[in-house]
Amino acid sequence: MTTFNTQPKRATLPLRATLFAAALLTPMLASASGAYVGAQLGYGPQKSEFTDFIKENNKDLNTGIGAIKAGYDFNEYFGIEARLSGTDSHTSSIQSNYQTSAYLKGMYPVTESISLYGLIGVTSTQIEYDDINKKHQKDMLNSASYGLGARYAATQNIGINLELNQISSHKDYELNGLFLGVDYKF
């Protein structure tokens, strides 16, 4: 049987530090020419060891996924990005409250308006479940995260992207999806 870390105070410290840094940096990034914000919607499978506790035999469960993001492109080849995402709790009995992600982003311009990109980083996922004793548990799971995508610059400031992303690769909770999104460059 898998044991889970249920110490929320230590688990939320990295999340709090990330959100505090993002709050401090957002106004500064917005005035910079490489800064952008965006949102995306997607759909994909999630798999969790926690489903054993709800008698679903560890099966894959598809869900809707939404995310907001903010980032900074240092040049046409390299950038950073932070995301806050969540899953549709109505389509699944897995209760994944939210995910926070931080990425390094490598880009390759194919044409003046189309670029390909890759993401590599880390994700923290807050998940809730009832254990075998029917006791409600909350856990924060940290894992590697990565993805590939393409961005089309519809205008000088607005881009449309298509992306495949492995949001969480933790052994106790996996989530990936195919996303369609839009971003605005300042």
Side-chain angles (χ1 to χ4, degrees), residues 18-181:
T18 302
L19 293 175
F20 179 72
L24 289 176
L25 292 175
T26 300
M28 183 178 70
L29 290 177
S31 65
S33 62
Y36 62 91
V37 294
Q40 51 190 39
L41 293 174
Y43 191 77
Q46 58 182 344
K47 184 176 182 176
S48 174
E49 294 299 316
F50 302 108
T51 54
D52 288 344
F53 298 125
I54 52 180
K55 299 185 178 26
E56 290 188 1
N57 300 320
N58 201 17
K59 69 179 183 180
D60 289 336
L61 300 167
N62 292 324
T63 186
I65 310 164
I68 55 173
K69 61 184 179 178
Y72 187 83
D73 292 337
F74 296 102
N75 56 42
E76 63 183 342
Y77 300 105
F78 180 72
I80 57 174
E81 189 170 291
R83 295 183 183 183
L84 178 62
S85 57
T87 58
D88 180 3
S89 62
H90 293 68
T91 60
S92 167
S93 56
I94 298 173
Q95 203 169 353
S96 167
N97 292 339
Y98 60 86
Q99 298 84 30
T100 55
S101 305
Y103 294 105
L104 296 176
K105 184 169 106 175
M107 301 167 286
Y108 181 76
V110 178
T111 68
E112 199 169 297
S113 59
I114 297 175
S115 62
L116 303 176
Y117 62 89
L119 302 165
I120 187 162
V122 295
T123 294
S124 291
T125 301
Q126 185 187 54
I127 194 159
E128 293 185 42
Y129 60 96
D130 291 330
D131 65 16
I132 57 175
N133 299 318
K134 302 296 183 197
K135 184 178 177 188
H136 191 71
Q137 302 286 337
K138 275 188 181 181
D139 229 342
M140 187 66 78
L141 307 175
N142 300 311
S143 66
S145 184
Y146 47 89
L148 294 171
R151 180 182 187 273
Y152 170 70
T155 69
Q156 183 178 350
N157 299 94
I158 297 174
I160 299 168
N161 59 65
L162 182 64
E163 178 181 297
L164 182 61
N165 191 330
Q166 177 78 38
I167 300 168
S168 177
S169 60
H170 194 277
K171 66 182 177 74
D172 293 327
Y173 179 73
E174 294 179 28
L175 173 65
N176 60 64
L178 180 63
F179 295 91
L180 182 61

